[in-house]
Amino acid sequence: MSPAAEVAAILAEELDAVPAPEVARMAAHIGARPGVAAVLFYGARRRASEDRGGPLDFYALTDGDAAWRGPGLSALACRLLPPNVYAVSLPGDGDAAAIDAKVAVMRLAAFRARMRPGSWDTTLWARFSQPATLVWARDAAARRAVRDAVAAAVETAAHWAAHLSPAPQDAAATWRGLHRATYAAELRVESAERVAGLFDRHEARWRKLHALLIADRASSADPGAARAFRRRARVGKLLNAARLAKAAFTYRGGAAYLRNKVARHARRAPLDGSPGRAPRARARPAGRLRRDRG
Protein backbone atom coordinates (compact mmCIF):
# COMPACT_ATOMS: atom_id res chain seq x y z
CA MET A 1 0.00 0.00 0.00
CA SER A 2 1.35 3.45 -0.93
CA PRO A 3 1.89 6.12 1.76
CA ALA A 4 -1.00 8.14 0.34
CA ALA A 5 -3.30 5.12 0.53
CA GLU A 6 -2.19 4.39 4.10
CA VAL A 7 -2.90 8.00 5.13
CA ALA A 8 -6.30 7.77 3.44
CA ALA A 9 -7.05 4.58 5.39
CA ILE A 10 -6.14 6.22 8.71
CA LEU A 11 -8.37 9.20 7.98
CA ALA A 12 -11.24 7.06 6.68
CA GLU A 13 -11.29 5.14 9.95
CA GLU A 14 -11.47 8.41 11.90
CA LEU A 15 -14.02 10.10 9.66
CA ASP A 16 -16.25 7.03 9.61
CA ALA A 17 -16.14 6.45 13.39
CA VAL A 18 -19.53 5.68 14.90
CA PRO A 19 -20.60 8.81 16.82
CA ALA A 20 -22.30 8.94 20.19
CA PRO A 21 -26.10 9.14 19.93
CA GLU A 22 -26.24 12.82 20.91
CA VAL A 23 -23.62 13.66 18.27
CA ALA A 24 -25.54 11.79 15.57
CA ARG A 25 -28.82 13.42 16.61
CA MET A 26 -27.42 16.94 16.47
CA ALA A 27 -25.61 16.30 13.18
CA ALA A 28 -28.83 15.03 11.58
CA HIS A 29 -30.62 18.18 12.80
CA ILE A 30 -27.91 20.39 11.30
CA GLY A 31 -27.85 18.41 8.06
CA ALA A 32 -31.61 18.79 7.62
CA ARG A 33 -31.18 22.50 6.92
CA PRO A 34 -31.34 23.46 3.21
CA GLY A 35 -27.97 23.86 1.54
CA VAL A 36 -25.91 21.88 4.07
CA ALA A 37 -23.62 19.40 2.28
CA ALA A 38 -21.77 17.83 5.22
CA VAL A 39 -21.39 17.99 8.99
CA LEU A 40 -18.07 17.39 10.79
CA PHE A 41 -17.70 16.74 14.51
CA TYR A 42 -14.39 18.00 15.88
CA GLY A 43 -12.69 19.59 18.89
CA ALA A 44 -12.05 18.56 22.49
CA ARG A 45 -15.24 16.49 22.80
CA ARG A 46 -14.22 14.55 19.67
CA ARG A 47 -10.59 14.05 20.68
CA ALA A 48 -11.28 12.85 24.23
CA SER A 49 -14.38 10.86 25.13
CA GLU A 50 -13.85 11.62 28.82
CA ASP A 51 -14.19 15.37 28.16
CA ARG A 52 -17.91 15.84 28.80
CA GLY A 53 -18.04 19.58 29.44
CA GLY A 54 -19.36 22.32 27.18
CA PRO A 55 -21.24 22.24 23.88
CA LEU A 56 -20.49 19.86 21.04
CA ASP A 57 -18.41 21.39 18.21
CA PHE A 58 -19.45 20.99 14.58
CA TYR A 59 -18.58 22.40 11.17
CA ALA A 60 -21.53 22.67 8.78
CA LEU A 61 -20.23 22.85 5.20
CA THR A 62 -22.69 24.44 2.80
CA ASP A 63 -23.30 25.08 -0.89
CA GLY A 64 -23.29 28.85 -0.46
CA ASP A 65 -22.73 31.64 2.04
CA ALA A 66 -26.47 32.33 2.35
CA ALA A 67 -27.43 28.69 2.93
CA TRP A 68 -27.70 28.91 6.74
CA ARG A 69 -29.39 32.25 7.39
CA GLY A 70 -30.33 33.51 3.93
CA PRO A 71 -28.96 36.57 2.11
CA GLY A 72 -27.89 39.64 4.02
CA LEU A 73 -25.27 40.61 6.57
CA SER A 74 -24.65 37.07 7.81
CA ALA A 75 -23.99 35.80 4.29
CA LEU A 76 -21.63 38.69 3.58
CA ALA A 77 -19.75 38.08 6.83
CA CYS A 78 -19.46 34.40 5.98
CA ARG A 79 -17.98 35.19 2.58
CA LEU A 80 -15.52 37.80 3.82
CA LEU A 81 -14.41 36.12 7.05
CA PRO A 82 -15.58 32.53 7.38
CA PRO A 83 -16.79 30.75 9.34
CA ASN A 84 -19.88 32.19 10.98
CA VAL A 85 -20.53 30.55 14.35
CA TYR A 86 -23.96 29.85 15.80
CA ALA A 87 -25.26 28.26 18.98
CA VAL A 88 -27.76 25.50 18.22
CA SER A 89 -29.91 23.75 20.82
CA LEU A 90 -32.10 20.66 20.72
CA PRO A 91 -34.62 20.07 23.51
CA GLY A 92 -34.81 16.75 25.31
CA ASP A 93 -36.91 14.08 23.62
CA GLY A 94 -38.06 11.14 25.72
CA ASP A 95 -34.95 9.47 27.11
CA ALA A 96 -32.70 11.78 25.04
CA ALA A 97 -31.26 14.73 26.94
CA ALA A 98 -31.15 18.29 25.63
CA ILE A 99 -28.10 19.04 23.47
CA ASP A 100 -26.16 22.27 22.98
CA ALA A 101 -23.76 22.74 20.08
CA LYS A 102 -21.47 25.37 18.64
CA VAL A 103 -21.75 25.23 14.86
CA ALA A 104 -19.23 26.87 12.53
CA VAL A 105 -20.73 27.44 9.08
CA MET A 106 -18.89 28.01 5.80
CA ARG A 107 -18.99 27.03 2.15
CA LEU A 108 -17.51 23.63 1.36
CA ALA A 109 -15.49 25.21 -1.46
CA ALA A 110 -14.00 27.79 0.93
CA PHE A 111 -13.22 25.03 3.44
CA ARG A 112 -11.31 23.05 0.81
CA ALA A 113 -9.39 26.12 -0.41
CA ARG A 114 -7.99 26.79 3.06
CA MET A 115 -6.37 23.35 3.34
CA ARG A 116 -3.50 24.16 0.94
CA PRO A 117 0.06 24.79 2.25
CA GLY A 118 -0.09 28.21 0.59
CA SER A 119 -3.16 29.30 2.53
CA TRP A 120 -2.67 32.40 4.66
CA ASP A 121 -5.26 31.14 7.16
CA THR A 122 -3.70 28.37 9.29
CA THR A 123 -6.82 27.80 11.39
CA LEU A 124 -8.66 25.31 9.18
CA TRP A 125 -5.86 22.96 8.19
CA ALA A 126 -4.43 22.98 11.73
CA ARG A 127 -7.80 22.08 13.22
CA PHE A 128 -8.66 19.35 10.73
CA SER A 129 -5.25 17.73 10.73
CA GLN A 130 -6.49 16.53 14.14
CA PRO A 131 -9.05 13.71 14.45
CA ALA A 132 -12.58 14.53 13.29
CA THR A 133 -15.70 12.57 12.37
CA LEU A 134 -17.79 13.10 9.24
CA VAL A 135 -21.08 12.45 10.97
CA TRP A 136 -23.42 13.40 8.14
CA ALA A 137 -23.02 13.89 4.38
CA ARG A 138 -25.72 14.67 1.84
CA ASP A 139 -24.36 12.30 -0.79
CA ALA A 140 -21.25 10.44 -1.97
CA ALA A 141 -19.87 13.52 -3.73
CA ALA A 142 -20.01 15.61 -0.56
CA ARG A 143 -18.42 12.80 1.46
CA ARG A 144 -15.61 12.49 -1.08
CA ALA A 145 -15.01 16.26 -1.11
CA VAL A 146 -14.71 16.38 2.68
CA ARG A 147 -12.38 13.38 2.75
CA ASP A 148 -10.16 15.04 0.16
CA ALA A 149 -10.13 18.28 2.16
CA VAL A 150 -9.18 16.53 5.41
CA ALA A 151 -6.43 14.59 3.63
CA ALA A 152 -5.11 17.91 2.29
CA ALA A 153 -5.17 19.34 5.84
CA VAL A 154 -3.01 16.48 7.11
CA GLU A 155 -0.58 16.83 4.20
CA THR A 156 -0.33 20.58 4.79
CA ALA A 157 0.29 20.04 8.50
CA ALA A 158 3.04 17.54 7.68
CA HIS A 159 4.58 20.00 5.20
CA TRP A 160 4.86 22.77 7.80
CA ALA A 161 5.82 20.41 10.63
CA ALA A 162 8.73 19.03 8.62
CA HIS A 163 9.97 22.42 7.44
CA LEU A 164 9.72 24.11 10.84
CA SER A 165 11.24 21.37 12.98
CA PRO A 166 14.97 21.40 13.82
CA ALA A 167 14.72 17.61 14.29
CA PRO A 168 12.11 16.22 11.88
CA GLN A 169 13.16 12.65 12.66
CA ASP A 170 11.73 13.12 16.18
CA ALA A 171 8.00 12.60 15.77
CA ALA A 172 6.99 13.95 19.18
CA ALA A 173 9.10 17.11 18.95
CA THR A 174 8.03 17.76 15.35
CA TRP A 175 4.28 17.50 15.89
CA ARG A 176 4.34 19.26 19.27
CA GLY A 177 6.31 22.10 17.71
CA LEU A 178 3.71 22.46 14.97
CA HIS A 179 0.86 22.43 17.48
CA ARG A 180 2.53 25.18 19.54
CA ALA A 181 3.07 27.26 16.40
CA THR A 182 -0.51 26.92 15.13
CA TYR A 183 -2.11 27.61 18.50
CA ALA A 184 0.03 30.73 18.84
CA ALA A 185 -1.06 31.85 15.35
CA GLU A 186 -4.70 31.66 16.47
CA LEU A 187 -4.30 33.88 19.55
CA ARG A 188 -5.16 30.81 21.61
CA VAL A 189 -3.23 31.12 24.86
CA GLU A 190 -3.07 27.51 26.05
CA SER A 191 -0.87 25.79 28.62
CA ALA A 192 2.09 23.77 27.34
CA GLU A 193 0.49 20.68 28.88
CA ARG A 194 -2.74 21.14 26.94
CA VAL A 195 -0.93 21.63 23.64
CA ALA A 196 1.34 18.62 24.26
CA GLY A 197 -1.81 16.61 24.92
CA LEU A 198 -2.82 16.91 21.27
CA PHE A 199 0.08 14.58 20.46
CA ASP A 200 -0.01 12.47 23.62
CA ARG A 201 -3.71 11.58 23.38
CA HIS A 202 -3.29 10.08 19.88
CA GLU A 203 0.41 9.30 19.91
CA ALA A 204 0.18 6.16 17.74
CA ARG A 205 -1.73 8.12 15.09
CA TRP A 206 0.76 10.99 14.95
CA ARG A 207 3.73 8.59 14.84
CA LYS A 208 2.16 6.69 11.94
CA LEU A 209 1.52 9.93 10.03
CA HIS A 210 5.08 11.00 10.79
CA ALA A 211 6.47 7.77 9.36
CA LEU A 212 4.35 8.13 6.22
CA LEU A 213 4.69 11.86 5.54
CA ILE A 214 7.74 13.31 7.33
CA ALA A 215 10.42 10.76 8.26
CA ASP A 216 12.09 10.74 4.83
CA ARG A 217 12.34 14.53 4.55
CA ALA A 218 15.28 16.84 5.22
CA SER A 219 17.03 16.65 8.59
CA SER A 220 16.92 20.31 9.64
CA ALA A 221 14.59 23.30 9.71
CA ASP A 222 14.18 25.44 6.61
CA PRO A 223 14.84 29.14 7.42
CA GLY A 224 12.75 30.23 4.44
CA ALA A 225 9.81 28.15 5.63
CA ALA A 226 10.18 29.59 9.14
CA ARG A 227 9.94 33.12 7.76
CA ALA A 228 6.94 32.17 5.63
CA PHE A 229 5.16 30.67 8.62
CA ARG A 230 5.87 33.72 10.77
CA ARG A 231 4.14 35.83 8.12
CA ARG A 232 1.18 33.45 8.23
CA ALA A 233 1.15 33.61 12.01
CA ARG A 234 0.88 37.41 11.89
CA VAL A 235 -1.98 37.16 9.41
CA GLY A 236 -3.59 34.42 11.52
CA LYS A 237 -3.62 36.61 14.60
CA LEU A 238 -5.28 39.40 12.65
CA LEU A 239 -7.87 37.03 11.18
CA ASN A 240 -8.74 35.55 14.54
CA ALA A 241 -8.92 38.96 16.20
CA ALA A 242 -11.29 40.01 13.40
CA ARG A 243 -13.40 36.87 13.95
CA LEU A 244 -13.72 37.70 17.64
CA ALA A 245 -14.70 41.26 16.76
CA LYS A 246 -17.26 39.88 14.29
CA ALA A 247 -18.76 37.79 17.09
CA ALA A 248 -19.17 40.93 19.20
CA PHE A 249 -21.32 42.56 16.51
CA THR A 250 -22.96 39.60 14.79
CA TYR A 251 -24.43 37.72 17.73
CA ARG A 252 -26.95 38.64 20.38
CA GLY A 253 -24.85 39.07 23.54
CA GLY A 254 -21.70 38.93 21.43
CA ALA A 255 -19.84 41.67 23.31
CA ALA A 256 -20.24 39.77 26.59
CA TYR A 257 -19.17 36.57 24.82
CA LEU A 258 -16.01 38.31 23.60
CA ARG A 259 -15.18 39.64 27.09
CA ASN A 260 -15.62 36.19 28.57
CA LYS A 261 -13.40 34.57 25.94
CA VAL A 262 -10.61 37.10 26.53
CA ALA A 263 -10.93 36.61 30.29
CA ARG A 264 -10.66 32.82 29.94
CA HIS A 265 -7.52 33.17 27.86
CA ALA A 266 -6.05 35.65 30.34
CA ARG A 267 -6.35 33.06 33.11
CA ARG A 268 -4.31 30.51 31.14
CA ALA A 269 -0.53 30.34 31.17
CA PRO A 270 1.20 31.49 27.97
CA LEU A 271 2.82 28.79 25.85
CA ASP A 272 6.35 29.83 26.79
CA GLY A 273 5.51 29.80 30.49
CA SER A 274 6.39 33.48 30.95
CA PRO A 275 4.22 35.33 33.47
CA GLY A 276 2.35 38.45 32.57
CA ARG A 277 2.14 37.86 28.83
CA ALA A 278 -1.59 37.25 28.60
CA PRO A 279 -3.93 40.25 28.34
CA ARG A 280 -5.65 41.30 31.50
CA ALA A 281 -9.41 41.14 31.51
CA ARG A 282 -12.14 41.11 34.09
CA ALA A 283 -14.25 37.97 33.89
CA ARG A 284 -17.93 38.61 33.38
CA PRO A 285 -20.80 36.23 32.68
CA ALA A 286 -20.92 35.27 29.04
CA GLY A 287 -23.81 36.47 26.94
CA ARG A 288 -25.53 33.83 24.86
CA LEU A 289 -24.74 33.54 21.20
CA ARG A 290 -27.71 33.84 18.91
CA ARG A 291 -29.42 30.45 19.06
CA ASP A 292 -30.80 28.63 16.05
CA ARG A 293 -33.55 26.13 16.69
CA GLY A 294 -34.99 25.86 13.23
Side-chain angles (χ1 to χ4, degrees), residues 161-163 165-169 174 210 213-222:
H163 283 85
S165 177
Q169 299 308 307
T174 297
H210 182 271
L213 297 171
I214 297 176
D216 292 336
R217 299 199 186 200
S219 59
S220 60
D222 178 352

Side-chain angles (χ1 to χ4, degrees), residues 83-288:
N84 284 359
V85 182
Y86 303 99
V88 178
S89 295
L90 276 177
D93 182 13
D95 294 334
I99 309 169
D100 290 322
K102 179 162 63 71
V103 183
V105 179
M106 67 186 299
R107 282 180 299 123
L108 176 55
F111 181 82
R112 295 179 69 181
R114 283 163 173 76
M115 300 304 184
R116 299 173 292 105
S119 173
W120 284 94
D121 188 349
T122 64
T123 300
L124 268 294
W125 62 256
R127 185 158 281 121
F128 286 97
S129 66
Q130 300 169 31
T133 302
L134 179 54
V135 188
W136 184 92
R138 182 176 56 202
D139 51 33
R143 183 169 294 275
R144 186 166 52 251
V146 173
R147 286 191 179 202
D148 289 347
V150 171
V154 171
E155 291 166 5
T156 293
H159 165 87
W160 285 111
H163 283 85
L164 295 175
S165 177
Q169 299 308 307
D170 184 335
T174 297
W175 285 115
R176 286 172 178 160
L178 180 76
H179 295 152
R180 285 194 300 270
T182 55
Y183 264 64
E186 291 187 45
L187 290 178
R188 298 180 70 182
V189 183
E190 303 286 356
S191 69
E193 181 181 3
R194 184 177 177 89
V195 176
L198 296 177
F199 176 87
D200 296 342
R201 191 171 288 116
H202 298 283
E203 181 174 352
R205 178 220 198 232
W206 292 112
R207 289 192 181 279
K208 183 65 172 177
L209 292 175
H210 182 271
L212 293 168
L213 297 171
I214 297 176
D216 292 336
R217 299 199 186 200
S219 59
S220 60
D222 178 352
R227 288 192 295 272
F229 192 85
R230 284 196 295 270
R231 290 193 293 270
R232 282 164 174 75
R234 287 194 291 270
V235 171
K237 290 175 182 178
L238 292 172
L239 288 173
N240 281 283
R243 287 179 179 125
L244 286 174
K246 183 178 72 168
F249 292 100
T250 304
Y251 306 120
R252 184 181 301 131
Y257 165 74
L258 176 58
R259 288 195 301 271
N260 181 266
K261 190 174 184 70
V262 171
R264 288 202 314 271
H265 283 213
R267 290 192 294 269
R268 294 173 181 162
L271 290 177
D272 64 1
S274 304
R277 292 280 302 279
R280 297 179 61 85
R282 180 184 175 189
R284 299 185 185 181
R288 298 179 69 84

